[in-house]
Amino acid sequence: MSLALKDIAFSPTRFILTVLGVGFLITASIGMVGIYRGIVDDAMLLVEKVGADLWIVQGGRQGPFSEGSSVRADLDQRVAGVAGVTSARRFLQVSQQFDAPDGVGQMRAAIVGLDYPKDEGNWIDLVAGRSIATGHFEAIADETIGLALGDVVRLNHDDYTIVGITRQMVDLSGDGILFVTINDAMEIAQRRSSEEVLLTRAVMDDAGPEAALSPAANKVAAVLATVDPAADIAAVRASIAAWGDVNVMSRADQRDLLLNQRLWRLRVQILAFTGVLLIVMTIVISLIIYMMTLEKLHQIAMLKLMGARNSLITGMIAQQSAAISFLAFGVGIGLAKLIFPLFPRRVVMAPDDITYLFIAVAVIAACASLIGISRAMRVRAQEVLA
Amino acid sequence: MSATIHVENARKHYQSGDTTVRALDGVTIEARPGELIGIMGASGSGKSTMLLIAGLLEPPTEGEVFFRGERVSCPGADLDRLRAFRRRNIGFVFQKANLIPFLSAIENVALALKIDDVPKRAAHDYAEALLVELGLGHRVDNRPARLSGGEQQRVAIARALANDPPLLLADEPTAALDSVRSRHVMELFRTIADVRGASILVVTHDPRSVDLFDRVYEFSDGKIVATSRRTAPEALAAH
C-alpha cells in the first residue's frame, strides 16, 4: 500500500491540476532553452551550411553578418586565382519586403544570392520542388515566408517563380530565406524608386556615368572560398589578407562573431530568463510539497503515534514530490511538442537540453521533498492531541 | 500479577513566562491486565497530561513510568527511540477518530499492522476480522468520510487493537458521540478488557459509564483527589 498513491487517488483533480501547472512551467523552461537554441541554430545556419572555409569581406570590416560588407562583384576571380583555393563563390544577402502573390498584404524574406552555375544550391535541403536550373527569375523559398511551389513574386521590377521549398532555413532575425541567383540578388539589392533614378540622371551630367549607378551596383557582400584540404589554410588566408583591401575570416571567426558579439546580449538574456524560470519552478514545486505536507501534519503525527518509522513518512512525501515532478515533466514535454511547432520562430528541443532539464527537475523535486520532510520530522506524535 | 502500566509519583511542570504550571503534581496510578480504568476530572485537571506520560509521549518532570515492571520513562528520557515499543505495546484512541482520510476502514486498520511489518495479506485479513468483530463488517471498504462518528470511532478502536497491545489509552473517546453510541463504545472497552485481558485507561468527562470501570481516578489541579472502585460507582456519578 503506497500512502502517496492512495493520497493522490483520494483527490485526483487537485493532483492533475498541480501536475498541469508545474507541467506548464516546465514547458516554459523548455521553450526558453529551445528559443535560445533555435536562435543560435538559425544564426549559424548559413555559416555552417554554405560550407565555405574562408569569408573574404570588405577590408576593415567583419561582415557580412556582424557588420555591413561590400566588395566588388569580380573579387571572386581574384580569390579563385590564389594557390590552394579550389572554388570562390560570391555571396549576397538582403532583406526584402514585397507584395504577396495574391496581391493581399506583404511578405518578408532574406534574399540570398547563389553564385549559379558554380553553386547550384546542392547544400540546400529541399522539402519540395527542385534547385535553381536557370540563371534568372527562379527562386527557392523557405516555407515560413508563406510561398508555395509555382507562386510568382515580383522583386524589384522582375517576376520570380518559386521552384523549390525549404524548411527551417531562416536568417538571424528569423526571416525565411529566398534563394535566387547572385546576379538576380544584385539586381534586387539595387532597387531604386523612379525619383531616385531621375535624380541620379541629373547628377550624371555633372559627375559622369558612374554616378547614375546605385551604390550597390556590381557589389556583393562577400566571396566564399573553399580551400584544398591539402593546402595550408593559414597561408591561403595570409596571402589574401595581404591584398589590404579585404578582410579574411574563417568559419570559426564567423561563428565566434555571431555567438559572442552579435547574439551575446540576447543569449545572456534568454539564459538569465531561463534561470529565473527554474528558480520560480523550484519555489512553486517546493511550496506545493510544503503545503501538501502541512495539510497532512495531523496524519503524520498520528503515524508517528502509531509507531511508524520515519522512512514511511519521508517515503510518502518523496514519492508525492517525485510523482508531481516527473509526471509534470512528461506533461511539459508533451505540451512543448504540441505547442512549439506553432510558434513563429524555431524552438529546438535538443536531447541534451531535455536531459539537463530532467536532472534539474529531479534536483528540484529532491529539494522540495527535503523541505517537506524536514517539516514532517519536526512533528511530534503528541500533536495528535492538539 | 504485575501492573501493565505503573506511573509512580509523576510530576509535569511547564514554564509559562515567569509562572510554573503544575500540570501534574505527584500522581501515581496503575492498571493491571483486564482492568478498565477511568480518569475523570474538570478541564485542566491534568488528565490528558497523565495520558501523555503513560503513553510515553512526554517524559515526566519527576517520577517514573514502569511497563510490566520495567522502567520505560523517566525525566529527560528520549521517547522518540521508544517508537517501536509504543507500536507493539500501546494503542491510542482519541476524541476524534484521527483516521487517515484517504484510506478505507480496512486500510486504516491494516496500516497499523503493516507499520509493524506484518505481511500485506495477513494484515488485511486480521484487519477485516477485527472490523467484523466490532460490527463493521459491512463498512470495511468505506473511507472515513462515509462513516458515522460512532463507526469512525470503532474503526479507531480496531486500529488501536490491531497489534494486540497490552495497554490501550483513550482520551475522551466518546466526547463527540451521543449517549447511546457513547455507551456502546464504553461497553466495547469493557469487553476488550475482559476478553483480551488488555489494560485500558480512559480519560472521560462522562459519568454515565462509570459503572463499567474497575477503578476511577478523580483528578483536580494535577492531583488525584479521589479513587473509587467499581463497587461504588454512584458516588462518582454524582460528581
Side-chain angles (χ1 to χ4, degrees):
Chain A
M1 181 197 326
S2 164
L3 289 180
L5 290 179
K6 290 276 179 187
D7 189 24
I8 289 167
F10 183 59
S11 45
T13 309
R14 195 177 107 158
F15 180 76
I16 289 166
L17 288 176
T18 306
V19 166
L20 273 178
V22 177
F24 269 107
L25 268 177
I26 290 169
T27 303
S29 300
I30 294 170
M32 289 310 297
V33 177
I35 287 169
Y36 167 78
R37 292 281 179 217
I39 285 172
V40 170
D41 278 11
D42 290 347
M44 293 296 131
L45 185 78
L46 275 179
V47 175
E48 300 293 348
K49 281 263 180 187
V50 80
D53 297 316
L54 295 174
W55 291 67
I56 296 98
V57 301
Q58 189 177 343
R61 299 226 174 192
Q62 295 185 312
F65 303 111
S66 295
E67 281 188 279
S69 169
S70 181
V71 295
R72 285 176 58 92
D74 57 3
L75 180 67
D76 60 318
Q77 291 168 29
R78 283 168 66 196
V79 174
V82 175
V85 172
T86 55
S87 79
R89 293 170 284 161
R90 292 166 294 170
F91 176 84
L92 180 60
Q93 180 178 334
V94 284
S95 289
Q96 193 87 9
Q97 199 96 9
F98 55 90
D99 292 331
D102 58 6
V104 182
Q106 286 209 308
M107 291 177 159
R108 184 175 171 78
I111 293 169
V112 170
L114 294 175
D115 200 350
Y116 183 85
K118 278 191 282 185
D119 182 357
E120 293 182 339
N122 295 327
W123 49 273
I124 301 169
D125 299 326
L126 292 172
V127 291
R130 59 169 172 82
S131 291
I132 289 172
T134 64
H136 286 292
F137 312 130
E138 284 192 346
I140 297 168
D142 189 71
E143 60 185 3
T144 55
I145 300 171
L147 293 168
L149 278 180
D151 279 350
V152 177
V153 288
R154 193 162 188 80
L155 300 167
N156 200 355
H157 300 296
D158 299 308
D159 291 332
Y160 291 80
T161 304
I162 307 303
V163 297
I165 298 290
T166 62
R167 181 169 294 155
Q168 292 178 342
M169 292 208 78
V170 298
D171 76 346
L172 192 62
S173 57
D175 291 335
I177 294 176
L178 188 78
F179 294 96
V180 294
T181 63
I182 189 77
N183 292 327
D184 286 346
M186 287 195 292
E187 191 61 33
I188 292 164
Q190 49 179 306
R191 179 176 63 171
R192 289 184 301 165
S193 67
S194 300
E195 188 64 24
E196 195 183 348
V197 172
L198 285 173
L199 284 170
T200 49
R201 276 181 186 160
V203 171
M204 193 168 67
D205 293 339
D206 302 330
E210 297 82 20
L213 295 172
S214 158
N218 297 321
K219 299 276 190 179
V220 292
V223 170
L224 316 183
T226 309
V227 178
D228 186 337
D232 179 0
I233 195 164
V236 173
R237 182 178 182 167
S239 69
I240 298 173
W243 298 343
D245 62 334
V246 293
N247 185 23
V248 187
M249 300 175 71
S250 66
R251 194 188 303 185
D253 291 338
Q254 289 289 6
R255 200 183 293 135
D256 181 60
L257 270 175
L258 282 167
L259 286 181
N260 298 325
Q261 294 191 33
R262 180 83 194 269
L263 291 175
W264 176 246
R265 284 190 180 83
L266 186 63
R267 289 174 68 204
V268 170
Q269 182 144 326
I270 291 176
L271 285 177
F273 198 68
T274 307
V276 169
L277 260 179
L278 286 175
I279 291 169
V280 169
M281 197 158 75
T282 308
I283 293 170
V284 168
I285 295 178
S286 302
L287 202 62
I288 288 168
I289 299 300
Y290 189 68
M291 294 307 290
M292 286 172 79
T293 309
L294 282 190
E295 286 172 8
K296 281 197 276 290
L297 287 186
H298 199 72
Q299 293 151 31
I300 289 169
M302 189 63 213
L303 286 170
K304 286 190 173 184
L305 188 79
M306 288 161 68
R309 294 174 187 87
N310 286 340
S311 58
L312 182 88
I313 296 159
T314 55
M316 178 173 69
I317 295 167
Q319 282 167 28
Q320 283 197 336
S321 176
I324 288 172
S325 304
F326 296 135
L327 280 175
F329 188 81
V331 168
I333 297 271
L335 284 172
K337 287 193 168 166
L338 213 64
I339 295 170
F340 292 150
L342 307 175
F343 275 31
R345 285 209 69 164
R346 191 144 61 107
V347 180
V348 177
M349 292 169 63
D352 280 356
D353 292 337
I354 299 294
T355 306
Y356 292 140
L357 195 63
F358 180 82
I359 293 168
V361 169
V363 170
I364 289 169
C367 292
S369 298
L370 285 178
I371 293 169
I373 287 166
S374 114
R375 180 67 188 92
M377 289 303 102
R378 292 201 303 275
V379 175
R380 297 160 70 215
Q382 49 269 51
E383 287 177 35
V384 176
L385 293 169
Chain B
M1 190 170 15
S2 70
T4 307
I5 186 91
H6 178 87
V7 180
E8 179 66 35
N9 196 27
R11 294 176 200 278
K12 188 72 184 177
H13 298 169
Y14 298 103
Q15 206 63 36
S16 175
D18 294 336
T19 318
T20 300
V21 179
R22 295 173 185 278
L24 219 54
D25 204 8
V27 170
T28 297
I29 63 166
E30 68 171 22
R32 292 176 180 279
E35 277 190 329
L36 179 62
I37 308 291
I39 299 176
M40 302 185 80
S43 293
S45 60
K47 310 184 299 290
S48 295
T49 306
M50 180 72 234
L51 216 62
L52 287 175
I53 288 171
L56 307 181
L57 296 171
E58 288 273 6
T61 309
E62 281 180 43
E64 293 170 308
V65 180
F66 296 88
F67 195 89
R68 290 176 164 169
E70 190 181 335
R71 194 175 80 157
V72 287
S73 182
C74 58
D78 176 14
L79 299 179
D80 202 44
R81 68 184 171 78
L82 291 178
R83 214 185 276 188
F85 179 87
R86 218 167 41 224
R87 180 168 68 227
R88 296 199 177 99
N89 294 292
I90 307 173
F92 294 90
V93 181
F94 302 100
Q95 178 179 337
K96 277 173 63 184
N98 288 315
L99 301 175
I100 309 284
F102 50 83
L103 299 181
S104 65
I106 194 165
E107 286 168 342
N108 262 286
V109 179
L111 179 63
L113 292 158
K114 284 174 190 165
I115 285 171
D116 205 22
D117 299 327
V118 175
K120 187 178 175 183
R121 188 71 250 170
H124 200 269
D125 290 347
Y126 188 61
E128 187 170 13
L130 264 176
L131 287 169
V132 169
E133 190 182 327
L134 296 180
L136 288 169
H138 61 300
R139 293 295 216 175
V140 290
D141 291 323
N142 287 121
R143 286 197 176 124
R146 303 288 300 270
L147 302 174
S148 70
E151 287 171 332
Q152 285 186 29
Q153 202 57 291
R154 275 189 282 164
V155 175
I157 293 169
R159 181 177 62 186
L161 290 173
N163 290 310
D164 205 13
L167 177 64
L168 207 59
L169 302 176
D171 188 15
E172 309 265 12
T174 61
L177 304 178
D178 60 42
S179 57
V180 176
R181 287 190 174 86
S182 292
R183 183 72 189 178
H184 284 162
V185 169
M186 287 300 185
E187 284 174 349
L188 197 55
F189 283 133
R190 181 71 261 168
T191 308
I192 291 164
D194 292 343
V195 174
R196 291 174 171 258
S199 305
I200 305 177
L201 286 178
V202 181
V203 167
T204 181
H205 274 110
D206 187 0
R208 287 171 294 189
S209 302
V210 288
D211 58 301
L212 298 171
F213 294 127
D214 293 306
R215 193 161 59 254
V216 175
Y217 294 106
E218 178 73 13
F219 275 57
S220 178
D221 296 331
K223 294 177 180 169
I224 295 174
V225 292
T227 306
S228 52
R229 297 197 171 269
R230 198 176 184 180
T231 47
E234 298 79 12
L236 280 160
H239 254 286

